[in-house]
């Protein structure tokens, strides 16, 4: 309350709070009075507390998100991706390696990239059929034809597939072709799309908006969760800062910050963060060391011909180096590595 608030002003606030079923704890100091509220935050919103006479400021102490918060679900969650019997876990006990081409270009290129990914130890295939490009003149992806290629390559290699959906109208057809739906950085706050993927019945990979705070990102996840879908994996993919040396700045601290406040798994995308292939291995090592639940990496059989993000795609010795790191480092931080057999929540990962 402001220093000149009267006893009547304080009593009025208490009355309003109690009228909506809340509790108000008044603490009177020499200069000012503080009122602590306990109860349903939504009902307090409707009171417009800031407009009441004598109120100086209102601060929220609890998290604004509920379903994705650790206050709601204390232990960290595991999300399972893929068909029953062949599911891959992403969560606190494992380290999951997702890889594939930025964009699906041809069946041959996608198959070659998937085979590279699998030989490097990846257990989930990524690939874009609908590409959210900054320029409307850039390659926009193959659309439905790309989804069909992804479904075929997923079946041929035995890898579950994640792909991005950019339009709520496409959610159903995308969900029919792949195992996990990705919402990209440019759509993180597209609330209609978030609700549509929440309704689709498939796990969701939610990338951080490039200018979003962690709280805004978790509120976006809350939109998905509110539709009854808690199979959400968060992905830190770099944020926009003043530093031009990298395409984005990988916010590595987002990993432990998210893990402290949300039960959802969180993975890191070093490819889209850096935009440069020479940084992908070092940033992947950092992601493993900081405790990320996985990484998602661009690979391409011929990056020089790639229609999207060629400069960040790995192949050859870089990919072998990454494969080595993904094999050796996760056990050092208490994780079961990619491709190993584990039991989590009574379920067994495929070998
Ligand atoms: C992608 O993963 O293909 C992609 C476009 O990523 P982001 O949304 O993080 O830019
Ligand atoms: Mn890309």
């Amino acid at each position: 309350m402001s220093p000149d608030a009267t006893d009547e002003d304080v009593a009025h606030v208490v009355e309003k709070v109690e009228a909506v079923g809340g509790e108000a704890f008044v603490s009177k100091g020499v200069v000012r009075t503080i009122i602590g509220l306990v109860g349903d935050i939504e009902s307090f919103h409707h009171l417009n507390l800031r407009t009441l006479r004598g109120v100086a400021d209102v601060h929220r102490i609890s998290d604004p998100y509920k379903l994705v918060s650790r206050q709601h679900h204390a232990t960290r969650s595991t999300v399972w991706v893929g068909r029953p019997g062949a599911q891959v876990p992403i969560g606190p006990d494992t380290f999951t390696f997702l890889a594939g081409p930025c964009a699906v270009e041809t069946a041959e290129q996608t198959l070659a990239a998937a085979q590279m990914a699998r030989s490097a130890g990846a257990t989930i295939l990524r690939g874009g059929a609908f590409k959210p490009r900054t320029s409307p003149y850039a390659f926009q992806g193959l659309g439905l034809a790309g989804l069909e290629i992804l479904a075929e390559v997923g079946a041929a290699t035995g890898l579950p597939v994640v792909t991005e959906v950019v339009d709520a109208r496409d959610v159903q057809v995308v969900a029919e072709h792949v195992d996990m739906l990705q919402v990209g950085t440019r759509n993180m706050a597209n609330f209609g799309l978030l609700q549509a993927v929440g309704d689709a019945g498939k796990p969701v990979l939610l990338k951080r908006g490039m200018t979003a705070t962690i709280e805004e990102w978790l509120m976006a996840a809350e939109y998905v969760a509110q539709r009854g879908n808690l199979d959400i994996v968060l992905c830190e993919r770099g944020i926009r800062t003043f530093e031009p040396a990298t395409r984005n700045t990988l916010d590595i601290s987002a990993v432990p910050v998210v893990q402290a406040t949300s039960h959802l798994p969180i993975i890191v995308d070093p490819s889209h963060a850096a935009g440069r292939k020479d940084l992908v291995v070092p940033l992947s090592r950092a992601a493993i060391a900081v405790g990320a639940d996985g990484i998602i990496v661009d690979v391409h059989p011929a990056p020089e011909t790639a229609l999207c993000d060629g400069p960040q795609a790995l192949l050859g010795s870089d990919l072998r180096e990454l494969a080595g790191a993904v094999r050796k480092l996760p056990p050092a931080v208490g994780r079961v590595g990619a491709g190993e057999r584990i039991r989590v929540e009574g379920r067994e990962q495929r070998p």
Side-chain angles (χ1 to χ4, degrees):
M1 304 297 285
S2 53
D4 57 1
T6 63
D7 287 351
E8 244 177 17
D9 295 338
V10 172
H12 184 58
V13 172
V14 171
E15 201 179 291
K16 286 274 194 187
V17 168
E18 289 175 351
V20 296
E23 286 180 276
F25 297 91
V26 177
S27 137
K28 244 182 158 47
V30 179
V31 183
R32 54 164 79 210
T33 298
I34 293 170
I35 310 178
L37 310 190
V38 177
D40 176 22
I41 207 108
E42 293 312 316
S43 62
F44 297 153
H45 278 318
H46 302 308
L47 294 179
N48 268 328
L49 290 166
R50 272 194 184 82
T51 66
L52 300 185
R53 205 181 54 211
V55 173
D57 211 349
V58 180
H59 296 279
R60 175 199 280 277
I61 293 170
S62 59
D63 297 335
Y65 35 87
K66 295 179 181 145
L67 301 172
V68 306
S69 166
R70 285 190 81 158
Q71 289 169 358
H72 173 80
H73 190 283
T75 56
R76 300 197 50 236
S77 300
T78 296
V79 170
W80 293 82
V81 182
R83 282 170 297 108
Q87 287 176 308
V88 175
I90 305 178
D93 303 311
T94 47
F95 182 82
T96 309
F97 180 22
L98 303 82
C102 180
V104 173
E105 298 163 17
T106 64
E108 296 70 34
Q109 166 257 3
T110 306
L111 181 61
Q115 284 163 341
M116 289 165 62
R118 198 178 56 174
S119 351
T123 53
I124 298 178
L125 174 66
R126 64 146 287 147
F130 294 94
K131 295 306 301 177
R133 305 306 297 279
T134 301
S135 165
Y137 304 110
F139 175 59
Q140 302 288 311
L142 296 183
L144 182 58
L147 294 179
E148 283 162 0
I149 292 173
L150 280 172
E152 279 162 26
V153 171
T157 54
L159 298 172
V161 177
V162 57
T163 201
E164 180 163 355
V165 55
V166 298
D167 190 316
R169 291 167 295 189
D170 298 328
V171 165
Q172 202 180 340
V173 67
V174 173
E176 281 163 13
H177 285 83
V178 299
D179 304 285
M180 185 182 215
L181 305 179
Q182 176 174 325
V183 174
T185 192
R186 292 164 189 79
N187 270 312
M188 185 213 81
N190 181 340
F191 303 119
L193 180 63
L194 294 171
Q195 289 170 328
V197 298
D199 288 337
K202 289 270 161 96
V204 176
L205 181 62
L206 178 59
K207 293 188 127 189
R208 179 179 183 179
M210 62 181 93
T211 59
T213 64
I214 291 171
E215 184 172 298
E216 287 163 344
W217 184 19
L218 292 173
M219 290 305 272
E222 191 80 9
Y223 269 90
V224 178
Q226 250 204 351
R227 309 300 283 199
N229 183 358
L230 273 165
D231 288 334
I232 307 163
V233 175
L234 300 164
C235 178
E236 162 60 42
R237 50 79 67 203
I239 52 176
R240 192 162 269 197
T241 68
F242 53 81
E243 177 52 65
T246 49
R247 191 166 156 191
N248 297 276
T249 299
L250 180 64
D251 180 11
I252 203 78
S253 59
V255 174
V257 169
V258 162
Q259 289 175 345
T261 166
S262 172
H263 60 91
L264 300 179
I266 174 168
I267 66 170
V268 166
D269 181 343
S271 306
H272 285 85
R276 291 169 40 176
K277 74 180 166 92
D278 61 318
L279 299 183
V280 171
V281 174
L283 293 181
S284 298
R285 288 199 182 102
I288 298 168
V290 83
D293 302 312
I295 50 170
I296 180 164
V297 171
D298 282 9
V299 301
H300 196 290
E304 67 284 2
T305 67
L307 296 177
C308 184
D309 287 347
Q312 70 197 32
L314 296 190
L315 82 168
S317 58
D318 292 319
L319 187 55
R320 280 193 292 280
E321 198 184 350
L322 181 64
V326 166
R327 223 177 18 253
K328 283 186 237 130
L329 298 183
V333 291
R335 302 272 178 155
V336 177
E340 284 175 61
R341 210 182 176 88
I342 58 144
R343 283 189 80 78
V344 183
E345 295 169 353
R347 296 203 241 181
E348 190 147 309
Q349 184 191 355
R350 73 204 170 92

